[in-house]
Amino acid sequence: MESTQIICPGCKSKLLIPNELLADGSQIGCPVCRSILEIEAPRPKRPEAEPEEKPFQQEKGKELVIVPPAGSQLESYRYSPSVMEILAPRPVFNPRMYRPLLFVGGWLFFVVLMSLMSVGTGSIALLFSIPLFFVGLSMLYGMSKTLLEKQDIDLIGNNIKIAKTRLLNSDVITIPYHKIEKIGLSAPGNKLISTSLNNLGTPKLPRYSSKVPTIIYDGGKKATLLEYVSDREKQWAVDLLKGFVREVGDVDV
């Protein structure tokens, strides 16, 4: 039973009075000096208010880095809060292209040499060299992308527009912001054997890996961009696109 300590004003005795008697409001006398104690009934304790749950506030993303990494050939412009452009010009020839070109050249030379040697032996060996020849052409086509392709990524209105200008088979893809599901780095498709050749790196920095900036949209469709730039440039582009789409399109990617 809870009690309250009271000091008698007459004899200064310390008394423990049960809280139930105090709550009744009845007169209580001091058992020592018989004085009537004037006591205010204790106020009932109010239940502690539960802490108010604050609404979840999403952590603010880092500031968009519009300027490409140092030494990059990429160009980036933000014309207004909702309009931006990234340009990837035709790349300047660099040492990382030597090995793929030597490999493709050696492959085609071997196929042509094998075809010439098989002319006198019969048609079976010649037919066997035909698919190898087409594989070499496929790789050569892939290398032409690295050497001749330029890209223009426009973010305007509510869409991302990726335009790839090539010697052959130019391509344009338009993706609405609200259909974007994810933006990140992923391994490219294996439609062409040349995919890996284009990303062969050198021991020197910057590093060139096989992963490329990828936009997944509209139920799993994929669009790749800036496939042939360095790892630092790829990561910069992914961070910039994710931040811009969140900021302008209010889409969580």
Side-chain angles (χ1 to χ4, degrees):
M1 180 181 295
E2 295 184 359
S3 301
T4 301
Q5 181 174 290
I6 297 173
I7 299 176
C8 176
C11 63
K12 306 300 181 184
S13 299
K14 292 182 180 180
L15 307 174
L16 288 176
I17 309 298
N19 287 345
E20 292 182 358
L21 296 178
L22 298 177
D24 291 343
S26 57
Q27 290 185 344
I28 301 175
C30 175
V32 179
C33 65
R34 305 299 181 181
S35 300
I36 301 299
L37 303 177
E38 296 180 0
I39 305 170
E40 293 183 1
R43 296 179 181 178
K45 293 182 179 180
R46 295 182 180 178
E48 295 182 1
E50 296 183 0
E52 182 181 357
E53 291 187 4
K54 296 182 179 180
F56 173 75
Q57 294 181 350
Q58 188 173 1
E59 186 178 353
K60 293 183 179 179
K62 56 186 177 182
E63 184 178 353
L64 298 183
V65 180
I66 306 298
V67 181
S72 172
Q73 298 294 324
L74 300 177
E75 299 176 358
S76 177
Y77 307 95
R78 189 166 189 177
Y79 302 107
S80 72
S82 60
V83 178
M84 190 175 69
E85 182 181 25
I86 301 173
L87 293 173
R90 290 185 174 91
V92 179
F93 189 82
N94 59 65
R96 81 183 180 99
M97 298 179 184
Y98 281 118
R99 286 190 291 176
L101 282 176
L102 288 174
F103 182 85
V104 174
W107 180 284
L108 290 174
F109 176 79
F110 169 76
V111 173
V112 172
L113 182 62
M114 187 177 67
S115 300
L116 292 174
M117 293 175 62
S118 63
V119 170
T121 61
S123 59
I124 296 179
L126 186 60
L127 289 174
F128 178 74
S129 65
I130 291 176
L132 297 179
F133 182 73
F134 278 106
V135 170
L137 289 180
S138 173
M139 292 188 289
L140 186 61
Y141 169 73
M143 287 305 304
S144 71
K145 288 185 179 181
T146 305
L147 294 170
L148 302 175
E149 180 179 280
K150 66 177 181 179
Q151 296 187 15
D152 186 359
I153 297 99
D154 294 307
L155 297 100
I156 184 170
N158 294 312
N159 302 288
I160 293 180
K161 179 183 175 183
I162 305 170
K164 299 180 180 181
T165 305
R166 307 164 182 151
L167 185 63
L168 298 170
N169 194 26
S170 296
D171 190 22
V172 178
I173 298 175
T174 301
I175 305 171
Y177 293 154
H178 70 273
K179 290 190 176 182
I180 296 176
E181 300 164 7
K182 185 179 179 181
I183 300 176
L185 292 173
S186 65
N190 296 319
K191 293 181 180 179
L192 295 175
I193 298 176
S194 58
T195 302
S196 299
L197 292 175
N198 280 314
N199 293 287
L200 281 176
T202 64
K204 300 179 181 179
L205 293 175
R207 186 170 178 271
Y208 296 82
S209 68
S210 59
K211 289 189 175 182
V212 297
T214 304
I215 300 175
I216 301 176
Y217 67 101
D218 196 15
K221 297 179 182 178
K222 292 185 179 181
T224 61
L225 61 148
L226 304 177
E227 294 88 345
Y228 313 121
V229 300
S230 70
D231 287 358
R232 289 186 297 119
E233 292 169 315
K234 292 175 183 177
Q235 189 60 58
W236 165 81
V238 167
D239 292 341
L240 179 57
L241 291 176
K242 289 173 68 173
F244 190 88
V245 170
R246 284 182 186 140
E247 181 179 309
V248 177
D250 195 23
V251 178
D252 187 15
V253 292

